Amino acid sequence: AQSVTQPDIHITVSEGASLELRCNYSYGATPYLFWYVQSPGQGLQLLLKYFSGDTLVQGIKGFEAEFKRSQSSFNLRKPSVHWSDAAEYFCAVGNQAGTALIFGKGTTLSVSS
Amino acid sequence: EAGVTQSPTHLIKTRGQQVTLRCSPISGHTSVYWYQQALGLGLQFLLWYDEGEERNRGNFPPRFSGRQFPNYSSELNVNALELEDSALYLCASSLRDRAYGYTFGSGTRLTVV
């Protein structure tokens, strides 16, 4: 079955520290992979996406993610977290055919001072 | 460029009533997706419209329906509202080339009392 797993429900990171949010997927076809961020009561903002090419992709707000096919993972990283990064982060998988994105349950990021 | 717009932003309805939510995709986007984000349940796929046709639907009862108009805007209709329909309803749009990603609106917050 197609699925996305985000193992960490809630993560707290100190401001200025590095961040890694984990995402594992199970998908039969060649996946398109996405990370979205959602602030409370808001819609989803696309941070970055991967569909082919360089497995390390850069996104907005200083985020990056690395696609590892052998591990079926697409982990999100940021070298130095800012208080404004506190939000919920969703990993999602799709494909070129346009089948609806499948989302993970999300990881809530808290940033401590 | 205008983003995906959804209306209304908030809505309160009584159990048993009917509701219509609206979504205008980004200009040039032909696909529209509807998601339900209920508390604690993550993002659940509802419906996918492309070129005016329903392409797929998620595991929701038939009282959830919709349509896509010739200008690619879309409506989501929910009949016989139940308390558990209270959620944030998100609309997303995409180009035919999904590698460009999916853009989400800010959602409609539906409260059923």
Side-chain angles (χ1 to χ4, degrees), chain B residues 11-55:
Chain B
L11 205 52
I12 299 175
K13 289 287 189 178
T14 303
R15 189 172 51 184
Q17 286 188 314
Q18 178 266 343
V19 68
T20 298
L21 311 181
R22 295 178 174 80
C23 172
S24 293
I26 290 175
S27 177
H29 286 197
T30 60
S31 280
V32 170
Y33 304 81
W34 288 95
Y35 286 84
Q36 182 196 66
Q37 188 177 27
L39 198 61
L41 295 180
L43 284 143
Q44 305 290 319
F45 165 65
L46 272 164
L47 291 158
W48 168 30
Y49 292 95
D50 182 62
E51 299 282 358
E53 300 286 332
E54 182 180 304
R55 301 298 183 184

Side-chain angles (χ1 to χ4, degrees), chain B:
Chain B
E1 171 185 89
V4 176
T5 57
Q6 292 188 243
S7 63
T9 54
H10 294 84
L11 205 52
I12 299 175
K13 289 287 189 178
T14 303
R15 189 172 51 184
Q17 286 188 314
Q18 178 266 343
V19 68
T20 298
L21 311 181
R22 295 178 174 80
C23 172
S24 293
I26 290 175
S27 177
H29 286 197
T30 60
S31 280
V32 170
Y33 304 81
W34 288 95
Y35 286 84
Q36 182 196 66
Q37 188 177 27
L39 198 61
L41 295 180
L43 284 143
Q44 305 290 319
F45 165 65
L46 272 164
L47 291 158
W48 168 30
Y49 292 95
D50 182 62
E51 299 282 358
E53 300 286 332
E54 182 180 304
R55 301 298 183 184
N56 199 8
R57 66 180 293 130
N59 189 26
F60 281 83
R63 58 190 186 83
F64 286 85
S65 65
R67 55 180 172 167
Q68 186 179 35
F69 298 97
N71 66 354
Y72 303 113
S73 66
S74 177
E75 285 182 351
L76 173 67
N77 299 293
V78 187
N79 294 320
L81 284 166
E82 300 179 2
L83 297 179
E84 53 264 35
D85 297 333
S86 295
L88 181 67
Y89 289 84
L90 292 165
C91 170
S93 70
S94 75
L95 291 167
R96 184 170 299 280
D97 185 350
R98 318 302 171 183
Y100 287 93
Y102 301 67
T103 304
F104 281 80
S106 297
T108 294
R109 171 72 62 184
L110 172 65
T111 302
V112 182
V113 298

